[in-house]
């Protein structure tokens, strides 16, 4: 049995989980509403304030999807009740970011500025303090969407291993390399 898949999902107060005939799970809460299509192999049962994910047999595909869908539904429940937050840090001389509504304007040492249009589900805040690295704080109920946005932002200037310049998650530890060694 999948150790993750067999765990029950506790549904907090203010959150409703519904499953329709097409195996579509809808989770509603104070932070929004999320929808996930579940594979027909997997069965989702909701009783009172606990949700169980079960599989019919021990075939390889069913075992693989059991833990996956339990984790996805758990992330949806956590997202609509508490939400997710990620903080990105811009490390480098002259690296700046501004939020203009749902548009982020990056200045990352290229000859041109980079603009990124964020989906309406994502809340953004930027902080730029003197003698501190600029920060981008992203909040969203959908963990998958938030991770995708963070990966896109990070791809504009990945952290390099010599000086550590680039866009990194706050608190992330980078493996650093030694520079050139003395010749001969």
């Amino acid at each position: 049995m999948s150790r993750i898949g067999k765990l029950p999902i506790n549904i907090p107060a203010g959150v409703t989980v519904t499953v329709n005939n097409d195996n579509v799970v809808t989770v509603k809460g104070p932070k929004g509403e999320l929808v996930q299509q579940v594979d027909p192999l997997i069965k989702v049962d909701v009783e009172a304030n606990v949700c169980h994910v079960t599989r019919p047999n021990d075939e390889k595909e069913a075992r693989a999807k059991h833990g996956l869908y339990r984790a996805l539904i758990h992330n949806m429940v956590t997202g609509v009740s508490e939400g997710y937050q990620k903080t990105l840090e811009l490390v480098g001389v002259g690296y700046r970011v501004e939020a203009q509504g749902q548009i982020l304007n990056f200045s990352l040492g290229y000859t041109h500025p980079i603009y990124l249009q964020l989906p309406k589900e994502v809340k953004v805040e930027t902080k730029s303090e003197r003698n501190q690295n600029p920060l981008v704080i992203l909040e969203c109920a959908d963990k998958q969407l938030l991770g995708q946005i963070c990966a896109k932002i990070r791809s504009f200037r990945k952290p390099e291993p010599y000086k550590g310049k680039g866009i990194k998650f706050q608190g992330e530890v980078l493996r650093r390399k030694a520079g050139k060694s003395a010749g001969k």
Side-chain angles (χ1 to χ4, degrees):
M1 196 73 179
S2 168
R3 281 185 284 180
I4 299 293
K6 68 182 177 184
L7 294 173
I9 302 167
N10 294 321
I11 302 169
V15 177
T16 58
V17 178
T18 55
V19 183
N20 69 7
N21 296 337
D22 299 331
N23 241 13
V24 175
V25 177
T26 306
V27 182
K28 293 181 186 174
K31 300 256 182 188
E33 177 181 343
L34 297 173
V35 178
Q36 175 68 47
Q37 173 73 43
V38 177
D39 194 276
L41 275 176
I42 304 300
K43 188 174 180 228
V44 180
D45 298 317
V46 181
E47 305 114 20
N49 39 344
V50 178
C51 180
H52 293 282
V53 180
T54 55
R55 64 176 189 240
N57 53 37
D58 279 346
E59 291 180 15
K60 188 173 184 178
E61 186 179 4
R63 286 196 324 257
K65 291 181 178 177
H66 187 203
L68 167 76
Y69 284 113
R70 189 266 176 204
L72 290 176
I73 294 168
H74 181 262
N75 288 344
M76 290 165 57
V77 169
T78 306
V80 297
S81 61
E82 301 166 20
Y84 290 100
Q85 178 176 337
K86 295 224 181 205
T87 304
L88 295 163
E89 186 176 357
L90 282 68
V91 180
V93 178
Y95 288 9
R96 290 189 304 273
V97 63
E98 288 178 27
Q100 300 153 345
Q102 288 297 98
I103 298 174
L104 284 175
N105 178 5
F106 290 95
S107 176
L108 299 172
Y110 295 118
T111 58
H112 57 282
I114 298 171
Y115 297 98
L116 178 65
Q117 174 73 44
L118 296 174
K120 65 182 183 309
E121 297 92 8
V122 179
K123 293 183 182 80
V124 65
E125 180 187 342
T126 58
K127 287 186 182 177
S128 296
E129 296 175 13
R130 194 166 173 84
N131 297 328
Q132 297 278 324
N133 292 327
L135 300 175
V136 180
I137 301 163
L138 299 165
E139 289 184 47
C140 186
D142 190 350
K143 189 175 187 179
Q144 288 177 296
L145 178 65
L146 185 63
Q148 191 67 43
I149 298 290
C150 289
K152 179 70 173 169
I153 291 172
R154 191 180 159 103
S155 73
F156 295 147
R157 186 69 93 166
K158 288 190 178 165
E160 54 97 13
Y162 297 101
K163 292 183 180 177
K165 290 171 54 173
I167 301 174
K168 65 177 193 153
F169 292 104
Q170 191 172 35
E172 179 184 8
V173 178
L174 300 173
R175 275 188 57 205
R176 301 292 290 270
K177 290 184 178 178
K180 292 181 184 177
S181 58
K184 296 184 187 180

PDB file of all heavy atoms in Angstrom, residues 107-121:
ATOM      1  N   SER A 107      14.931  44.124 -14.248  1.00  0.00           N
ATOM      2  CA  SER A 107      16.158  44.656 -14.815  1.00  0.00           C
ATOM      3  C   SER A 107      17.278  43.759 -14.303  1.00  0.00           C
ATOM      4  O   SER A 107      17.660  43.837 -13.134  1.00  0.00           O
ATOM      5  CB  SER A 107      16.356  46.106 -14.358  1.00  0.00           C
ATOM      6  OG  SER A 107      17.584  46.584 -14.820  1.00  0.00           O
ATOM      7  N   LEU A 108      17.783  42.865 -15.186  1.00  0.00           N
ATOM      8  CA  LEU A 108      18.703  41.811 -14.743  1.00  0.00           C
ATOM      9  C   LEU A 108      20.064  41.856 -15.446  1.00  0.00           C
ATOM     10  O   LEU A 108      20.697  40.832 -15.621  1.00  0.00           O
ATOM     11  CB  LEU A 108      18.058  40.445 -14.968  1.00  0.00           C
ATOM     12  CG  LEU A 108      16.758  40.200 -14.207  1.00  0.00           C
ATOM     13  CD1 LEU A 108      16.124  38.896 -14.653  1.00  0.00           C
ATOM     14  CD2 LEU A 108      17.003  40.192 -12.721  1.00  0.00           C
ATOM     15  N   GLY A 109      20.475  43.026 -15.859  1.00  0.00           N
ATOM     16  CA  GLY A 109      21.785  43.148 -16.472  1.00  0.00           C
ATOM     17  C   GLY A 109      21.800  42.891 -17.963  1.00  0.00           C
ATOM     18  O   GLY A 109      22.860  42.900 -18.581  1.00  0.00           O
ATOM     19  N   TYR A 110      20.649  42.634 -18.564  1.00  0.00           N
ATOM     20  CA  TYR A 110      20.567  42.491 -20.011  1.00  0.00           C
ATOM     21  C   TYR A 110      20.412  43.878 -20.622  1.00  0.00           C
ATOM     22  O   TYR A 110      20.206  44.870 -19.909  1.00  0.00           O
ATOM     23  CB  TYR A 110      19.366  41.621 -20.410  1.00  0.00           C
ATOM     24  CG  TYR A 110      19.466  40.186 -19.944  1.00  0.00           C
ATOM     25  CD1 TYR A 110      18.524  39.670 -19.061  1.00  0.00           C
ATOM     26  CD2 TYR A 110      20.474  39.348 -20.387  1.00  0.00           C
ATOM     27  CE1 TYR A 110      18.589  38.355 -18.636  1.00  0.00           C
ATOM     28  CE2 TYR A 110      20.552  38.033 -19.955  1.00  0.00           C
ATOM     29  CZ  TYR A 110      19.606  37.552 -19.085  1.00  0.00           C
ATOM     30  OH  TYR A 110      19.686  36.252 -18.665  1.00  0.00           O
ATOM     31  N   THR A 111      20.450  43.973 -21.934  1.00  0.00           N
ATOM     32  CA  THR A 111      20.297  45.269 -22.609  1.00  0.00           C
ATOM     33  C   THR A 111      18.849  45.731 -22.631  1.00  0.00           C
ATOM     34  O   THR A 111      18.580  46.864 -23.001  1.00  0.00           O
ATOM     35  CB  THR A 111      20.799  45.176 -24.065  1.00  0.00           C
ATOM     36  OG1 THR A 111      20.054  44.162 -24.737  1.00  0.00           O
ATOM     37  CG2 THR A 111      22.272  44.867 -24.116  1.00  0.00           C
ATOM     38  N   HIS A 112      17.942  44.866 -22.233  1.00  0.00           N
ATOM     39  CA  HIS A 112      16.512  45.182 -22.293  1.00  0.00           C
ATOM     40  C   HIS A 112      15.845  44.771 -20.980  1.00  0.00           C
ATOM     41  O   HIS A 112      16.310  43.850 -20.304  1.00  0.00           O
ATOM     42  CB  HIS A 112      15.854  44.416 -23.446  1.00  0.00           C
ATOM     43  CG  HIS A 112      16.040  42.940 -23.337  1.00  0.00           C
ATOM     44  ND1 HIS A 112      17.238  42.317 -23.676  1.00  0.00           N
ATOM     45  CD2 HIS A 112      15.224  41.962 -22.882  1.00  0.00           C
ATOM     46  CE1 HIS A 112      17.115  41.018 -23.452  1.00  0.00           C
ATOM     47  NE2 HIS A 112      15.905  40.771 -22.963  1.00  0.00           N
ATOM     48  N   PRO A 113      14.755  45.433 -20.625  1.00  0.00           N
ATOM     49  CA  PRO A 113      14.003  44.971 -19.455  1.00  0.00           C
ATOM     50  C   PRO A 113      13.177  43.730 -19.809  1.00  0.00           C
ATOM     51  O   PRO A 113      12.856  43.500 -20.974  1.00  0.00           O
ATOM     52  CB  PRO A 113      13.094  46.156 -19.123  1.00  0.00           C
ATOM     53  CG  PRO A 113      12.942  46.877 -20.417  1.00  0.00           C
ATOM     54  CD  PRO A 113      14.222  46.663 -21.186  1.00  0.00           C
ATOM     55  N   ILE A 114      12.844  42.940 -18.819  1.00  0.00           N
ATOM     56  CA  ILE A 114      12.024  41.741 -19.025  1.00  0.00           C
ATOM     57  C   ILE A 114      10.695  41.962 -18.315  1.00  0.00           C
ATOM     58  O   ILE A 114      10.665  42.305 -17.132  1.00  0.00           O
ATOM     59  CB  ILE A 114      12.727  40.489 -18.464  1.00  0.00           C
ATOM     60  CG1 ILE A 114      14.045  40.260 -19.189  1.00  0.00           C
ATOM     61  CG2 ILE A 114      11.827  39.270 -18.576  1.00  0.00           C
ATOM     62  CD1 ILE A 114      14.911  39.186 -18.586  1.00  0.00           C
ATOM     63  N   TYR A 115       9.601  41.784 -19.056  1.00  0.00           N
ATOM     64  CA  TYR A 115       8.260  41.938 -18.494  1.00  0.00           C
ATOM     65  C   TYR A 115       7.608  40.564 -18.395  1.00  0.00           C
ATOM     66  O   TYR A 115       7.720  39.759 -19.309  1.00  0.00           O
ATOM     67  CB  TYR A 115       7.392  42.840 -19.377  1.00  0.00           C
ATOM     68  CG  TYR A 115       7.917  44.251 -19.470  1.00  0.00           C
ATOM     69  CD1 TYR A 115       8.684  44.653 -20.565  1.00  0.00           C
ATOM     70  CD2 TYR A 115       7.663  45.170 -18.470  1.00  0.00           C
ATOM     71  CE1 TYR A 115       9.178  45.945 -20.656  1.00  0.00           C
ATOM     72  CE2 TYR A 115       8.151  46.461 -18.545  1.00  0.00           C
ATOM     73  CZ  TYR A 115       8.904  46.836 -19.640  1.00  0.00           C
ATOM     74  OH  TYR A 115       9.397  48.116 -19.718  1.00  0.00           O
ATOM     75  N   LEU A 116       6.921  40.305 -17.277  1.00  0.00           N
ATOM     76  CA  LEU A 116       6.214  39.045 -17.094  1.00  0.00           C
ATOM     77  C   LEU A 116       4.800  39.335 -16.626  1.00  0.00           C
ATOM     78  O   LEU A 116       4.599  39.977 -15.592  1.00  0.00           O
ATOM     79  CB  LEU A 116       6.932  38.166 -16.058  1.00  0.00           C
ATOM     80  CG  LEU A 116       6.263  36.824 -15.742  1.00  0.00           C
ATOM     81  CD1 LEU A 116       6.268  35.916 -16.970  1.00  0.00           C
ATOM     82  CD2 LEU A 116       6.928  36.150 -14.577  1.00  0.00           C
ATOM     83  N   GLN A 117       3.809  38.875 -17.413  1.00  0.00           N
ATOM     84  CA  GLN A 117       2.399  39.008 -17.055  1.00  0.00           C
ATOM     85  C   GLN A 117       2.015  37.836 -16.158  1.00  0.00           C
ATOM     86  O   GLN A 117       2.147  36.688 -16.558  1.00  0.00           O
ATOM     87  CB  GLN A 117       1.532  39.012 -18.325  1.00  0.00           C
ATOM     88  CG  GLN A 117       0.051  39.004 -18.075  1.00  0.00           C
ATOM     89  CD  GLN A 117      -0.463  40.325 -17.558  1.00  0.00           C
ATOM     90  OE1 GLN A 117      -0.097  41.370 -18.061  1.00  0.00           O
ATOM     91  NE2 GLN A 117      -1.300  40.277 -16.542  1.00  0.00           N
ATOM     92  N   LEU A 118       1.559  38.133 -14.955  1.00  0.00           N
ATOM     93  CA  LEU A 118       1.167  37.086 -14.010  1.00  0.00           C
ATOM     94  C   LEU A 118      -0.322  36.792 -14.126  1.00  0.00           C
ATOM     95  O   LEU A 118      -1.114  37.691 -14.417  1.00  0.00           O
ATOM     96  CB  LEU A 118       1.472  37.522 -12.573  1.00  0.00           C
ATOM     97  CG  LEU A 118       2.942  37.738 -12.233  1.00  0.00           C
ATOM     98  CD1 LEU A 118       3.074  38.299 -10.834  1.00  0.00           C
ATOM     99  CD2 LEU A 118       3.716  36.452 -12.354  1.00  0.00           C
ATOM    100  N   PRO A 119      -0.738  35.539 -13.886  1.00  0.00           N
ATOM    101  CA  PRO A 119      -2.167  35.229 -13.868  1.00  0.00           C
ATOM    102  C   PRO A 119      -2.857  35.943 -12.706  1.00  0.00           C
ATOM    103  O   PRO A 119      -2.213  36.292 -11.712  1.00  0.00           O
ATOM    104  CB  PRO A 119      -2.216  33.713 -13.659  1.00  0.00           C
ATOM    105  CG  PRO A 119      -0.830  33.223 -13.797  1.00  0.00           C
ATOM    106  CD  PRO A 119       0.098  34.368 -13.687  1.00  0.00           C
ATOM    107  N   LYS A 120      -4.159  36.141 -12.837  1.00  0.00           N
ATOM    108  CA  LYS A 120      -4.900  36.890 -11.814  1.00  0.00           C
ATOM    109  C   LYS A 120      -4.966  36.168 -10.475  1.00  0.00           C
ATOM    110  O   LYS A 120      -5.183  36.794  -9.447  1.00  0.00           O
ATOM    111  CB  LYS A 120      -6.303  37.231 -12.310  1.00  0.00           C
ATOM    112  CG  LYS A 120      -7.195  36.027 -12.547  1.00  0.00           C
ATOM    113  CD  LYS A 120      -8.551  36.465 -13.077  1.00  0.00           C
ATOM    114  CE  LYS A 120      -9.515  35.331 -13.266  1.00  0.00           C
ATOM    115  NZ  LYS A 120      -9.053  34.189 -14.014  1.00  0.00           N
ATOM    116  N   GLU A 121      -4.740  34.836 -10.460  1.00  0.00           N
ATOM    117  CA  GLU A 121      -4.796  34.064  -9.215  1.00  0.00           C
ATOM    118  C   GLU A 121      -3.591  34.339  -8.309  1.00  0.00           C
ATOM    119  O   GLU A 121      -3.630  34.066  -7.122  1.00  0.00           O
ATOM    120  CB  GLU A 121      -4.841  32.558  -9.498  1.00  0.00           C
ATOM    121  CG  GLU A 121      -6.070  32.108 -10.255  1.00  0.00           C
ATOM    122  CD  GLU A 121      -5.851  32.088 -11.756  1.00  0.00           C
ATOM    123  OE1 GLU A 121      -4.695  32.282 -12.207  1.00  0.00           O
ATOM    124  OE2 GLU A 121      -6.833  31.897 -12.485  1.00  0.00           O
TER     125      GLU A 121
END
